[in-house]
Amino acid sequence: MEVEWASAPNSLPSWKKADGKLSITCYTAGDALMLIGRGLTQSDKTSETLEPRFTEMAAMLDVSRNAVYTLPTLKTFLCQLAMMGYTACYLYMEDTYELPGYPYFGYRRGRYSVEEQKEIDRFAQSVGIELVPCIQTLAHLRTAIRWSYMQPMRDTVDNLKVGHPETEALVEAMIAHFSKTFQSRRIHLGMDEAVSLGTGRYLRENGYRDHREILMNHLHTVCRLCEKYGLQPMIWDDMLFRDRTPLMDYYGNSDPVSEQDAACYPAGLTFVYWDYYHDTQEEYEAQIRRRGCLKTAFAGGVWKWGGWVPNLTKSFQDSQAAAEACYSLGVQHILVTLWGDDGEETPLATVLPGMALYGLLRYGSAAPGQTDAYCRLFSDAPLAAYTLMEKLNTIPGIPQENLEALIPHKLLLYGDMASELFQPSLTSAPATLAAYYEALAPQFAAFAQNTRCESLQRILKMYQCLSQVLSIRCNASAALHDAVTQQSQQQSLAAATELLIEMKAQVEALHELTVEVWSQERKGQGMEILDLRLGGVAARCRALCKRIELFTEGRIDALSELEESFLPYQGILSLDGHTPGREAYGEIVTANTLCHQFSV
């Protein structure tokens, strides 16, 4: 390889290859890595001069939903981002960072120490990536608010109490802290989804006050603190746009923000419009136009927050539509969010194709198939190994593109087999669904065998085992409920017991693999949530076997959990009106009370 450093920052980066040599011309280390990535993956070209369509292409990495990535994981990820053409990484930390003066902030949550924060920032700078702190200064602080020292600052279970001196002191400590630990002069303040603002202790102490007024006062306070410490603020803009529709619909219709409207907000504030849901360019353009004259950035996403596997087909379609809308309307800053909602079950490494597509879209139109070269470069596996993962969701009867992001694999894994909520709504032929999952297992095994990337091997083996668990689960549930309707009850219960014993063993094997996969990417704190979930599935298998034993021995009169008639699922539903939609663990695992908690 040969590198020529450009003399001016506005020089366009370029590369060419001939006779086994890659020659690159660039101004920054980040561009150098991007050009290497392009040169190694663009097999149909021998040279390129690249003019980006977007000033900023950034990843936003969630480290607040139990998974706090280790420094080696972050460093690998940052190198990959640089080689895919990214310029920044936002580290989304609710309370997973050490905050001097607040020892319980992030306690037992795997928080990054001050030194870790500085180390990862230095490394990001070395590969041309700006590391931007993305924190919360209003809502989404449930895990921090639980401790007694936070009670004077608590409005609701999730929101800070605006206007309280200790609240302002905490927010100032956050902003002052990141003005010193990160080199970036930008900071993302969060402030999204504060829908209960002013309805808890604030209401009891101050009486009713319109939440818009409370929000605006807090926004000006926080932005004033940013100015004090030399930081440029940005916020998620949903609370502002919910107020422009009658039913608080973020994606509704409203007139574009006027100059007069914009003058009410702090000067220099960037508003981040987030949208991972729409499937057409026209829908994104309509929402961007609502922002009017605001200083707007866009946040899309790669779907890794539904369950155990990424949804790449929806990510691909929505990414292309959103990127073209941003380019058409001049939005120059794009964030690619990688949320970890509901336990962070999906490994970070699985989102590679979605991240690669956004990187390609920075320099022009791109198709999902073009990400194959980056998959092979970074993991020695084709794109097909990644798209296979979402087949755990695209079961018979669900569209192969799954644009609704349905998660049947998670509903089946955690849903109770006896007090069944989901399986009859997902399939009328459980044996067919069991065979579908059984057929996936050897496909994961084949990809695992053919890659030299050990970390991806572990992930694929985990999915192989998950497929086997789901297959047994479908048959076990059917056998349990057949025992109620068939005359050969003892025979059905005996068959169910055998399946439950087999499933318990497979779940325990899945648990072991899950610990390995988690440990190769993440700190240990937070893994206990998956331990509890998978341990609960195995324990449920044991308990049902014991219940069957007690019944067949005549020690209990009935298996009441099997006798109750099934009703169509009436939780979150897909557009077809009957297929269960995306539910969180608490709504999946039981129809009973999982945890009682006051909301204020």
Side-chain angles (χ1 to χ4, degrees):
M1 188 177 71
E2 181 179 79
V3 181
E4 180 181 347
W5 297 103
S7 58
N10 58 352
S11 301
L12 294 179
S14 63
W15 65 268
K16 60 181 179 180
K17 54 187 175 185
D19 302 324
K21 183 173 73 173
L22 176 65
S23 301
I24 64 175
T25 302
C26 56
Y27 186 75
T28 67
D31 277 348
L33 289 168
M34 177 273 294
L35 292 169
I36 294 170
R38 298 283 297 196
L40 292 174
T41 56
Q42 306 300 302
S43 59
D44 59 335
K45 300 173 184 175
T46 57
S47 65
E48 273 187 315
T49 297
L50 295 161
E51 184 170 5
R53 301 196 295 172
F54 307 107
T55 303
E56 176 181 34
M57 184 63 72
M60 197 229 70
L61 189 58
D62 184 355
V63 295
S64 295
R65 300 319 201 285
N66 298 341
V68 178
Y69 298 102
T70 64
L71 264 60
T73 298
L74 288 179
K75 291 176 180 180
T76 298
F77 183 68
L78 290 167
C79 289
Q80 292 177 347
L81 289 180
M83 294 185 73
M84 290 187 287
Y86 285 72
T87 60
C89 179
Y90 290 67
L91 208 54
Y92 178 76
M93 302 170 285
E94 292 174 353
D95 64 337
T96 49
Y97 56 94
E98 181 185 7
L99 184 62
Y102 295 86
Y104 281 88
F105 195 80
Y107 173 62
R108 296 294 189 190
R109 295 262 288 135
R111 62 191 173 192
Y112 292 116
S113 69
V114 172
E115 283 308 310
E116 285 177 317
Q117 295 168 48
K118 291 180 178 179
E119 180 180 345
I120 197 60
D121 179 68
R122 287 192 297 268
F123 185 85
Q125 292 290 329
S126 75
V127 294
I129 297 290
E130 178 187 3
L131 194 66
V132 182
C134 185
I135 62 173
Q136 286 291 354
T137 58
L138 181 58
H140 284 292
L141 288 169
R142 179 183 298 253
T143 51
I145 284 174
R146 67 176 291 176
W147 304 114
S148 59
Y149 83 96
M150 289 285 288
Q151 298 314 298
M153 307 172 231
R154 172 177 173 168
D155 178 9
T156 66
V157 71
D158 202 46
N159 290 354
L160 293 176
K161 186 165 60 179
V162 171
H164 195 282
E166 289 188 48
T167 298
E168 184 169 335
L170 172 65
V171 172
E172 180 167 7
M174 296 173 177
I175 293 169
H177 171 71
F178 283 110
S179 72
K180 294 177 289 188
T181 54
F182 284 20
Q183 297 174 63
S184 174
R185 293 300 87 193
R186 297 190 294 161
I187 186 169
H188 197 310
L189 302 166
M191 299 186 67
D192 59 310
E193 298 180 331
V195 292
S196 60
L197 181 64
T199 64
R201 297 181 180 186
Y202 183 97
L203 177 64
R204 294 206 302 271
E205 294 175 13
N206 300 283
Y208 174 75
R209 190 179 178 196
D210 191 296
H211 74 273
R212 287 167 286 198
E213 186 180 346
I214 301 172
L215 180 68
M216 191 64 75
N217 285 354
H218 189 61
L219 180 59
H220 279 275
T221 296
V222 175
C223 288
R224 174 178 52 79
L225 291 170
C226 288
E227 183 178 7
K228 176 180 177 180
Y229 290 96
L231 296 178
Q232 302 165 20
M234 61 185 75
I235 62 168
W236 307 114
D237 72 3
D238 57 293
M239 288 300 296
L240 308 177
F241 282 89
R242 291 179 196 276
D243 289 334
R244 293 172 177 268
T245 59
L247 298 177
M248 296 287 283
D249 178 10
Y250 181 36
Y251 301 115
N253 296 314
S254 61
D255 294 332
V257 176
S258 66
E259 293 282 359
Q260 184 178 0
D261 294 332
C264 298
Y265 303 123
L269 178 64
T270 297
F271 298 81
V272 183
Y273 151 50
W274 51 268
D275 192 343
Y276 340 108
Y277 302 105
H278 294 103
D279 306 323
T280 68
Q281 180 177 338
E282 292 74 21
E283 290 172 303
Y284 288 103
E285 287 182 353
Q287 295 300 322
I288 292 170
R289 288 192 181 97
R290 290 179 68 203
R291 272 70 192 165
C293 61
L294 293 180
K295 183 181 178 183
T296 300
F298 172 76
V302 177
W303 278 75
K304 65 179 291 292
W305 55 87
W308 283 62
V309 294
N311 182 334
L312 292 175
T313 51
K314 181 169 179 59
S315 299
F316 287 153
Q317 179 157 331
D318 294 3
S319 301
Q320 289 174 291
E324 296 308 325
C326 288
Y327 179 60
S328 174
L329 297 180
V331 176
Q332 284 292 301
H333 298 266
I334 293 181
L335 285 69
V336 185
T337 62
L338 298 169
W339 297 111
D341 299 10
D342 197 36
E344 189 70 88
E345 294 157 328
T346 303
L348 177 62
T350 65
V351 302
L352 171 58
M355 300 304 294
L357 182 61
Y358 263 111
L360 291 167
L361 288 166
R362 186 181 178 216
Y363 295 100
S365 297
Q370 293 173 255
T371 66
D372 181 80
Y374 282 99
C375 294
R376 294 177 186 274
L377 176 64
F378 292 139
S379 71
D380 190 42
L383 172 61
Y386 294 84
T387 56
L388 177 65
M389 297 170 187
E390 63 183 292
K391 290 188 181 295
L392 287 163
N393 283 327
T394 53
I395 62 175
I398 287 180
Q400 293 300 293
E401 290 187 327
N402 195 14
L403 296 181
E404 292 187 70
L406 304 179
I407 53 168
H409 80 280
K410 185 167 179 172
L411 305 180
L412 293 169
L413 177 63
Y414 297 135
D416 192 73
M417 289 172 286
S419 298
E420 185 68 80
L421 292 174
F422 302 105
Q423 184 160 300
S425 290
L426 290 169
T427 181
S428 59
T432 300
L433 184 54
Y436 171 84
Y437 280 124
E438 185 178 11
L440 289 181
Q443 296 178 59
F444 284 116
F447 278 121
Q449 186 175 3
N450 291 325
T451 177
R452 293 167 294 178
C453 178
E454 292 183 1
S455 60
L456 185 62
Q457 280 180 359
R458 294 188 191 99
I459 291 170
L460 292 167
K461 289 177 181 178
M462 180 182 73
Y463 288 144
Q464 175 189 356
C465 194
L466 177 56
S467 301
Q468 293 165 330
V469 167
L470 294 172
S471 178
I472 301 167
R473 187 259 190 239
C474 292
N475 285 328
S477 175
L480 284 168
H481 293 277
D482 283 348
V484 178
T485 59
Q486 294 183 0
Q487 291 184 343
S488 54
Q489 186 182 66
Q490 295 298 323
Q491 184 177 349
S492 294
L493 289 175
T497 298
E498 288 185 15
L499 287 165
L500 289 168
I501 292 170
E502 183 183 1
M503 182 173 169
K504 172 184 170 293
Q506 281 293 339
V507 170
E508 289 172 345
L510 174 62
H511 189 189
E512 287 191 17
L513 289 165
T514 302
V515 173
E516 287 191 33
V517 169
W518 181 286
S519 301
Q520 74 187 11
E521 288 189 347
R522 303 153 176 177
K523 295 186 178 185
Q525 296 93 325
M527 190 181 71
E528 68 273 15
I529 300 302
L530 291 188
D531 295 340
L532 290 168
R533 293 180 182 182
L534 292 174
V537 176
R540 190 65 178 135
C541 291
R542 290 197 303 273
L544 288 173
C545 287
K546 187 63 178 179
R547 290 274 295 168
I548 291 170
E549 177 188 325
L550 293 172
F551 175 71
T552 55
E553 292 177 355
R555 295 162 64 188
I556 58 175
D557 295 332
L559 294 171
S560 58
E561 60 269 47
L562 301 179
E563 293 176 349
E564 188 170 358
S565 299
F566 178 80
L567 296 175
Y569 189 66
Q570 286 293 300
I572 296 175
L573 296 174
S574 69
L575 291 177
D576 64 17
H578 64 82
T579 302
R582 287 187 294 115
E583 294 276 21
Y585 174 79
E587 282 67 49
I588 294 171
V589 69
T590 180
N592 290 295
T593 301
L594 181 65
C595 176
H596 178 66
Q597 184 175 25
F598 288 111
S599 60
V600 177

